[in-house]
Amino acid sequence: AHQPFRPTMVVDPRPDDGPVLIMLEYDINLDQIEEFVQKIQPLRLSRERDGASRWDLWQDIAVPGRFVECFIVESWAEHYRQFLRFTLSDQELEHQVCALLRNGAMPTMR
């Protein structure tokens, strides 16, 4: 079964700790940047529907093709609930975005 992106954690936060900043780093094929920016917009709506209070997409000007998606959720408990709300439709959106990553890689999540 598909699992949405999960961060690697070195601390064990309490459920009510927050707010939480989630960052996903994407290395996109240079000829597919415009397509990536278009395809990540529905994923933004999914994140906001599932509890993100803010969402941003940044381009890293030091690394060609690197984008950083950032969103904020109220607490770790709310972030966990995002995983529970993850639908097949969300999975398809995520798959479409990841299909544009260089070398079939997965995004780095922090």
Side-chain angles (χ1 to χ4, degrees), residues 2 5 8-9 23-25 33 35 39 48 56 60 63-69 74 88 94 98 102 108 110:
H2 173 80
F5 310 132
T8 301
M9 298 190 297
M23 297 176 17
L24 289 107
E25 223 172 65
I33 288 174
E35 185 179 359
K39 288 194 173 184
E48 290 172 341
D56 293 293
D60 184 340
V63 181
R66 178 165 293 162
F67 287 81
V68 181
E69 175 191 14
E74 181 181 311
L88 288 175
E94 201 174 75
C98 288
R102 278 194 284 249
T108 303
R110 293 188 221 148

PDB file of all heavy atoms in Angstrom, residues 2 5 8-9 23-25 33 35 39 48 56 60 63-69 74 88 94 98 102 108 110:
ATOM      1  N   HIS A   2       0.417   2.236  -0.700  1.00  0.00           N
ATOM      2  CA  HIS A   2       1.157   3.489  -0.799  1.00  0.00           C
ATOM      3  C   HIS A   2       1.144   4.227   0.532  1.00  0.00           C
ATOM      4  O   HIS A   2       0.130   4.276   1.206  1.00  0.00           O
ATOM      5  CB  HIS A   2       0.517   4.365  -1.875  1.00  0.00           C
ATOM      6  CG  HIS A   2       1.110   5.737  -1.931  1.00  0.00           C
ATOM      7  ND1 HIS A   2       2.291   5.978  -2.564  1.00  0.00           N
ATOM      8  CD2 HIS A   2       0.705   6.910  -1.402  1.00  0.00           C
ATOM      9  CE1 HIS A   2       2.582   7.266  -2.451  1.00  0.00           C
ATOM     10  NE2 HIS A   2       1.629   7.851  -1.739  1.00  0.00           N
ATOM     11  N   PHE A   5       4.480  10.784   1.939  1.00  0.00           N
ATOM     12  CA  PHE A   5       5.804  11.138   2.427  1.00  0.00           C
ATOM     13  C   PHE A   5       5.794  11.236   3.944  1.00  0.00           C
ATOM     14  O   PHE A   5       4.885  11.791   4.526  1.00  0.00           O
ATOM     15  CB  PHE A   5       6.233  12.488   1.849  1.00  0.00           C
ATOM     16  CG  PHE A   5       6.085  12.597   0.369  1.00  0.00           C
ATOM     17  CD1 PHE A   5       5.483  13.700  -0.194  1.00  0.00           C
ATOM     18  CD2 PHE A   5       6.551  11.604  -0.471  1.00  0.00           C
ATOM     19  CE1 PHE A   5       5.347  13.823  -1.556  1.00  0.00           C
ATOM     20  CE2 PHE A   5       6.421  11.716  -1.836  1.00  0.00           C
ATOM     21  CZ  PHE A   5       5.813  12.834  -2.379  1.00  0.00           C
ATOM     22  N   THR A   8      11.789  11.985   8.552  1.00  0.00           N
ATOM     23  CA  THR A   8      12.672  11.317   9.485  1.00  0.00           C
ATOM     24  C   THR A   8      12.787  12.225  10.696  1.00  0.00           C
ATOM     25  O   THR A   8      13.070  13.409  10.557  1.00  0.00           O
ATOM     26  CB  THR A   8      14.062  11.113   8.845  1.00  0.00           C
ATOM     27  OG1 THR A   8      13.892  10.328   7.668  1.00  0.00           O
ATOM     28  CG2 THR A   8      15.013  10.434   9.805  1.00  0.00           C
ATOM     29  N   MET A   9      12.540  11.692  11.886  1.00  0.00           N
ATOM     30  CA  MET A   9      12.560  12.532  13.080  1.00  0.00           C
ATOM     31  C   MET A   9      13.583  12.007  14.078  1.00  0.00           C
ATOM     32  O   MET A   9      13.724  10.810  14.253  1.00  0.00           O
ATOM     33  CB  MET A   9      11.170  12.570  13.720  1.00  0.00           C
ATOM     34  CG  MET A   9      10.126  13.177  12.813  1.00  0.00           C
ATOM     35  SD  MET A   9       8.548  13.502  13.613  1.00  0.00           S
ATOM     36  CE  MET A   9       8.006  11.877  14.071  1.00  0.00           C
ATOM     37  N   MET A  23       8.614  20.592   5.113  1.00  0.00           N
ATOM     38  CA  MET A  23       9.316  21.017   3.906  1.00  0.00           C
ATOM     39  C   MET A  23       9.620  19.798   3.051  1.00  0.00           C
ATOM     40  O   MET A  23      10.179  18.818   3.546  1.00  0.00           O
ATOM     41  CB  MET A  23      10.616  21.731   4.272  1.00  0.00           C
ATOM     42  CG  MET A  23      10.386  22.993   5.044  1.00  0.00           C
ATOM     43  SD  MET A  23      11.869  23.875   5.645  1.00  0.00           S
ATOM     44  CE  MET A  23      13.212  23.256   4.735  1.00  0.00           C
ATOM     45  N   LEU A  24       9.242  19.869   1.783  1.00  0.00           N
ATOM     46  CA  LEU A  24       9.559  18.816   0.819  1.00  0.00           C
ATOM     47  C   LEU A  24      10.410  19.421  -0.286  1.00  0.00           C
ATOM     48  O   LEU A  24      10.037  20.439  -0.874  1.00  0.00           O
ATOM     49  CB  LEU A  24       8.288  18.207   0.224  1.00  0.00           C
ATOM     50  CG  LEU A  24       7.510  17.356   1.204  1.00  0.00           C
ATOM     51  CD1 LEU A  24       6.261  18.073   1.640  1.00  0.00           C
ATOM     52  CD2 LEU A  24       7.173  16.037   0.574  1.00  0.00           C
ATOM     53  N   GLU A  25      11.553  18.781  -0.549  1.00  0.00           N
ATOM     54  CA  GLU A  25      12.475  19.255  -1.566  1.00  0.00           C
ATOM     55  C   GLU A  25      12.325  18.396  -2.805  1.00  0.00           C
ATOM     56  O   GLU A  25      12.422  17.167  -2.726  1.00  0.00           O
ATOM     57  CB  GLU A  25      13.892  19.099  -1.018  1.00  0.00           C
ATOM     58  CG  GLU A  25      14.789  20.253  -1.270  1.00  0.00           C
ATOM     59  CD  GLU A  25      16.092  20.067  -0.513  1.00  0.00           C
ATOM     60  OE1 GLU A  25      16.847  19.119  -0.829  1.00  0.00           O
ATOM     61  OE2 GLU A  25      16.331  20.864   0.406  1.00  0.00           O
ATOM     62  N   ILE A  33       9.847  22.066 -15.590  1.00  0.00           N
ATOM     63  CA  ILE A  33       9.586  22.971 -14.466  1.00  0.00           C
ATOM     64  C   ILE A  33       8.186  23.577 -14.550  1.00  0.00           C
ATOM     65  O   ILE A  33       7.454  23.595 -13.550  1.00  0.00           O
ATOM     66  CB  ILE A  33      10.679  24.055 -14.360  1.00  0.00           C
ATOM     67  CG1 ILE A  33      11.973  23.397 -13.853  1.00  0.00           C
ATOM     68  CG2 ILE A  33      10.248  25.197 -13.452  1.00  0.00           C
ATOM     69  CD1 ILE A  33      13.176  24.314 -13.826  1.00  0.00           C
ATOM     70  N   GLU A  35       5.548  22.449 -16.017  1.00  0.00           N
ATOM     71  CA  GLU A  35       4.570  21.393 -15.758  1.00  0.00           C
ATOM     72  C   GLU A  35       4.503  21.084 -14.263  1.00  0.00           C
ATOM     73  O   GLU A  35       3.423  20.901 -13.697  1.00  0.00           O
ATOM     74  CB  GLU A  35       4.936  20.140 -16.549  1.00  0.00           C
ATOM     75  CG  GLU A  35       3.932  19.031 -16.441  1.00  0.00           C
ATOM     76  CD  GLU A  35       4.308  17.802 -17.267  1.00  0.00           C
ATOM     77  OE1 GLU A  35       5.342  17.804 -17.957  1.00  0.00           O
ATOM     78  OE2 GLU A  35       3.545  16.824 -17.179  1.00  0.00           O
ATOM     79  N   LYS A  39       1.291  21.248 -11.845  1.00  0.00           N
ATOM     80  CA  LYS A  39       0.776  20.026 -11.230  1.00  0.00           C
ATOM     81  C   LYS A  39       0.816  20.043  -9.711  1.00  0.00           C
ATOM     82  O   LYS A  39       0.086  19.287  -9.066  1.00  0.00           O
ATOM     83  CB  LYS A  39       1.525  18.805 -11.764  1.00  0.00           C
ATOM     84  CG  LYS A  39       1.140  18.508 -13.193  1.00  0.00           C
ATOM     85  CD  LYS A  39       1.579  17.164 -13.642  1.00  0.00           C
ATOM     86  CE  LYS A  39       0.989  16.915 -15.028  1.00  0.00           C
ATOM     87  NZ  LYS A  39       1.273  15.599 -15.515  1.00  0.00           N
ATOM     88  N   GLU A  48      -4.111  22.116   1.994  1.00  0.00           N
ATOM     89  CA  GLU A  48      -4.935  23.089   2.700  1.00  0.00           C
ATOM     90  C   GLU A  48      -6.229  22.452   3.193  1.00  0.00           C
ATOM     91  O   GLU A  48      -6.667  22.704   4.309  1.00  0.00           O
ATOM     92  CB  GLU A  48      -5.210  24.291   1.796  1.00  0.00           C
ATOM     93  CG  GLU A  48      -3.958  25.124   1.563  1.00  0.00           C
ATOM     94  CD  GLU A  48      -4.129  26.214   0.522  1.00  0.00           C
ATOM     95  OE1 GLU A  48      -5.078  26.151  -0.295  1.00  0.00           O
ATOM     96  OE2 GLU A  48      -3.283  27.136   0.502  1.00  0.00           O
ATOM     97  N   ASP A  56       3.495  27.345   0.696  1.00  0.00           N
ATOM     98  CA  ASP A  56       4.364  28.121  -0.201  1.00  0.00           C
ATOM     99  C   ASP A  56       5.190  27.165  -1.050  1.00  0.00           C
ATOM    100  O   ASP A  56       5.499  26.041  -0.624  1.00  0.00           O
ATOM    101  CB  ASP A  56       5.341  29.001   0.599  1.00  0.00           C
ATOM    102  CG  ASP A  56       4.639  30.099   1.367  1.00  0.00           C
ATOM    103  OD1 ASP A  56       4.088  31.014   0.727  1.00  0.00           O
ATOM    104  OD2 ASP A  56       4.639  30.030   2.610  1.00  0.00           O
ATOM    105  N   ASP A  60      14.821  27.091  -5.378  1.00  0.00           N
ATOM    106  CA  ASP A  60      16.176  27.248  -4.848  1.00  0.00           C
ATOM    107  C   ASP A  60      17.055  27.742  -5.996  1.00  0.00           C
ATOM    108  O   ASP A  60      17.323  26.992  -6.942  1.00  0.00           O
ATOM    109  CB  ASP A  60      16.670  25.899  -4.319  1.00  0.00           C
ATOM    110  CG  ASP A  60      18.027  25.981  -3.653  1.00  0.00           C
ATOM    111  OD1 ASP A  60      18.775  26.949  -3.913  1.00  0.00           O
ATOM    112  OD2 ASP A  60      18.352  25.055  -2.888  1.00  0.00           O
ATOM    113  N   VAL A  63      20.407  25.716  -6.852  1.00  0.00           N
ATOM    114  CA  VAL A  63      20.395  24.379  -7.446  1.00  0.00           C
ATOM    115  C   VAL A  63      19.357  24.364  -8.572  1.00  0.00           C
ATOM    116  O   VAL A  63      18.155  24.433  -8.301  1.00  0.00           O
ATOM    117  CB  VAL A  63      20.039  23.292  -6.394  1.00  0.00           C
ATOM    118  CG1 VAL A  63      20.054  21.914  -7.022  1.00  0.00           C
ATOM    119  CG2 VAL A  63      20.978  23.360  -5.200  1.00  0.00           C
ATOM    120  N   PRO A  64      19.798  24.283  -9.824  1.00  0.00           N
ATOM    121  CA  PRO A  64      18.843  24.305 -10.930  1.00  0.00           C
ATOM    122  C   PRO A  64      17.797  23.183 -10.808  1.00  0.00           C
ATOM    123  O   PRO A  64      18.135  22.028 -10.567  1.00  0.00           O
ATOM    124  CB  PRO A  64      19.724  24.093 -12.170  1.00  0.00           C
ATOM    125  CG  PRO A  64      21.085  24.539 -11.745  1.00  0.00           C
ATOM    126  CD  PRO A  64      21.180  24.198 -10.282  1.00  0.00           C
ATOM    127  N   GLY A  65      16.537  23.563 -10.918  1.00  0.00           N
ATOM    128  CA  GLY A  65      15.464  22.581 -10.882  1.00  0.00           C
ATOM    129  C   GLY A  65      15.005  22.179  -9.490  1.00  0.00           C
ATOM    130  O   GLY A  65      14.110  21.350  -9.356  1.00  0.00           O
ATOM    131  N   ARG A  66      15.580  22.762  -8.456  1.00  0.00           N
ATOM    132  CA  ARG A  66      15.160  22.400  -7.091  1.00  0.00           C
ATOM    133  C   ARG A  66      14.068  23.357  -6.600  1.00  0.00           C
ATOM    134  O   ARG A  66      14.199  24.563  -6.683  1.00  0.00           O
ATOM    135  CB  ARG A  66      16.318  22.427  -6.112  1.00  0.00           C
ATOM    136  CG  ARG A  66      15.835  22.095  -4.674  1.00  0.00           C
ATOM    137  CD  ARG A  66      16.950  21.750  -3.735  1.00  0.00           C
ATOM    138  NE  ARG A  66      17.553  20.495  -4.155  1.00  0.00           N
ATOM    139  CZ  ARG A  66      18.768  20.092  -3.762  1.00  0.00           C
ATOM    140  NH1 ARG A  66      19.490  20.834  -2.959  1.00  0.00           N
ATOM    141  NH2 ARG A  66      19.247  18.941  -4.184  1.00  0.00           N
ATOM    142  N   PHE A  67      13.002  22.743  -6.081  1.00  0.00           N
ATOM    143  CA  PHE A  67      11.893  23.487  -5.499  1.00  0.00           C
ATOM    144  C   PHE A  67      11.657  22.962  -4.093  1.00  0.00           C
ATOM    145  O   PHE A  67      11.873  21.777  -3.817  1.00  0.00           O
ATOM    146  CB  PHE A  67      10.616  23.311  -6.327  1.00  0.00           C
ATOM    147  CG  PHE A  67      10.662  24.066  -7.623  1.00  0.00           C
ATOM    148  CD1 PHE A  67      11.324  23.543  -8.719  1.00  0.00           C
ATOM    149  CD2 PHE A  67      10.066  25.308  -7.734  1.00  0.00           C
ATOM    150  CE1 PHE A  67      11.382  24.237  -9.907  1.00  0.00           C
ATOM    151  CE2 PHE A  67      10.115  26.013  -8.923  1.00  0.00           C
ATOM    152  CZ  PHE A  67      10.775  25.478 -10.016  1.00  0.00           C
ATOM    153  N   VAL A  68      11.213  23.852  -3.209  1.00  0.00           N
ATOM    154  CA  VAL A  68      10.907  23.474  -1.839  1.00  0.00           C
ATOM    155  C   VAL A  68       9.453  23.851  -1.563  1.00  0.00           C
ATOM    156  O   VAL A  68       9.080  25.023  -1.662  1.00  0.00           O
ATOM    157  CB  VAL A  68      11.850  24.163  -0.824  1.00  0.00           C
ATOM    158  CG1 VAL A  68      11.508  23.722   0.600  1.00  0.00           C
ATOM    159  CG2 VAL A  68      13.307  23.864  -1.155  1.00  0.00           C
ATOM    160  N   GLU A  69       8.653  22.838  -1.265  1.00  0.00           N
ATOM    161  CA  GLU A  69       7.262  23.037  -0.868  1.00  0.00           C
ATOM    162  C   GLU A  69       7.249  23.132   0.652  1.00  0.00           C
ATOM    163  O   GLU A  69       7.817  22.273   1.337  1.00  0.00           O
ATOM    164  CB  GLU A  69       6.415  21.847  -1.326  1.00  0.00           C
ATOM    165  CG  GLU A  69       4.990  21.906  -0.852  1.00  0.00           C
ATOM    166  CD  GLU A  69       4.212  20.610  -1.065  1.00  0.00           C
ATOM    167  OE1 GLU A  69       4.825  19.550  -1.345  1.00  0.00           O
ATOM    168  OE2 GLU A  69       2.982  20.660  -0.926  1.00  0.00           O
ATOM    169  N   GLU A  74      -1.100  23.047  12.452  1.00  0.00           N
ATOM    170  CA  GLU A  74      -1.242  23.541  13.825  1.00  0.00           C
ATOM    171  C   GLU A  74      -0.431  22.755  14.855  1.00  0.00           C
ATOM    172  O   GLU A  74       0.111  23.316  15.804  1.00  0.00           O
ATOM    173  CB  GLU A  74      -2.726  23.493  14.179  1.00  0.00           C
ATOM    174  CG  GLU A  74      -3.074  23.984  15.552  1.00  0.00           C
ATOM    175  CD  GLU A  74      -4.567  23.869  15.813  1.00  0.00           C
ATOM    176  OE1 GLU A  74      -5.355  24.317  14.968  1.00  0.00           O
ATOM    177  OE2 GLU A  74      -4.922  23.324  16.864  1.00  0.00           O
ATOM    178  N   LEU A  88      -7.125   8.387  -2.284  1.00  0.00           N
ATOM    179  CA  LEU A  88      -6.586   7.877  -3.547  1.00  0.00           C
ATOM    180  C   LEU A  88      -6.374   9.012  -4.534  1.00  0.00           C
ATOM    181  O   LEU A  88      -5.407   9.011  -5.297  1.00  0.00           O
ATOM    182  CB  LEU A  88      -7.523   6.822  -4.139  1.00  0.00           C
ATOM    183  CG  LEU A  88      -7.551   5.490  -3.402  1.00  0.00           C
ATOM    184  CD1 LEU A  88      -8.602   4.569  -4.009  1.00  0.00           C
ATOM    185  CD2 LEU A  88      -6.179   4.819  -3.432  1.00  0.00           C
ATOM    186  N   GLU A  94       0.024  13.264  -5.981  1.00  0.00           N
ATOM    187  CA  GLU A  94       1.406  13.092  -5.540  1.00  0.00           C
ATOM    188  C   GLU A  94       2.211  12.335  -6.605  1.00  0.00           C
ATOM    189  O   GLU A  94       3.345  12.697  -6.918  1.00  0.00           O
ATOM    190  CB  GLU A  94       1.392  12.313  -4.222  1.00  0.00           C
ATOM    191  CG  GLU A  94       2.620  12.456  -3.401  1.00  0.00           C
ATOM    192  CD  GLU A  94       2.423  11.765  -2.064  1.00  0.00           C
ATOM    193  OE1 GLU A  94       2.462  10.526  -2.035  1.00  0.00           O
ATOM    194  OE2 GLU A  94       2.236  12.471  -1.066  1.00  0.00           O
ATOM    195  N   CYS A  98       5.550  13.573  -8.557  1.00  0.00           N
ATOM    196  CA  CYS A  98       6.796  12.803  -8.428  1.00  0.00           C
ATOM    197  C   CYS A  98       7.289  12.257  -9.769  1.00  0.00           C
ATOM    198  O   CYS A  98       8.481  12.004  -9.931  1.00  0.00           O
ATOM    199  CB  CYS A  98       6.610  11.671  -7.431  1.00  0.00           C
ATOM    200  SG  CYS A  98       6.514  12.273  -5.738  1.00  0.00           S
ATOM    201  N   ARG A 102      13.773  14.208 -11.125  1.00  0.00           N
ATOM    202  CA  ARG A 102      14.948  13.665 -11.814  1.00  0.00           C
ATOM    203  C   ARG A 102      15.256  12.258 -11.317  1.00  0.00           C
ATOM    204  O   ARG A 102      15.191  11.980 -10.118  1.00  0.00           O
ATOM    205  CB  ARG A 102      16.169  14.546 -11.552  1.00  0.00           C
ATOM    206  CG  ARG A 102      16.239  15.746 -12.445  1.00  0.00           C
ATOM    207  CD  ARG A 102      17.627  16.350 -12.362  1.00  0.00           C
ATOM    208  NE  ARG A 102      17.773  17.077 -11.115  1.00  0.00           N
ATOM    209  CZ  ARG A 102      17.866  18.398 -11.029  1.00  0.00           C
ATOM    210  NH1 ARG A 102      17.828  19.141 -12.096  1.00  0.00           N
ATOM    211  NH2 ARG A 102      18.007  18.969  -9.858  1.00  0.00           N
ATOM    212  N   THR A 108      12.736  14.894  -0.746  1.00  0.00           N
ATOM    213  CA  THR A 108      13.289  14.851   0.604  1.00  0.00           C
ATOM    214  C   THR A 108      12.337  15.612   1.509  1.00  0.00           C
ATOM    215  O   THR A 108      11.973  16.748   1.209  1.00  0.00           O
ATOM    216  CB  THR A 108      14.678  15.518   0.635  1.00  0.00           C
ATOM    217  OG1 THR A 108      15.525  14.859  -0.297  1.00  0.00           O
ATOM    218  CG2 THR A 108      15.281  15.467   2.027  1.00  0.00           C
ATOM    219  N   ARG A 110      11.413  17.186   5.317  1.00  0.00           N
ATOM    220  CA  ARG A 110      11.923  17.633   6.621  1.00  0.00           C
ATOM    221  C   ARG A 110      10.801  18.255   7.398  1.00  0.00           C
ATOM    222  O   ARG A 110       9.929  18.873   6.855  1.00  0.00           O
ATOM    223  CB  ARG A 110      13.017  18.680   6.434  1.00  0.00           C
ATOM    224  CG  ARG A 110      14.241  18.119   5.815  1.00  0.00           C
ATOM    225  CD  ARG A 110      15.321  19.150   5.836  1.00  0.00           C
ATOM    226  NE  ARG A 110      15.982  19.046   4.541  1.00  0.00           N
ATOM    227  CZ  ARG A 110      16.535  20.035   3.902  1.00  0.00           C
ATOM    228  NH1 ARG A 110      16.502  21.229   4.393  1.00  0.00           N
ATOM    229  NH2 ARG A 110      17.113  19.850   2.765  1.00  0.00           N
TER     230      ARG A 110
END
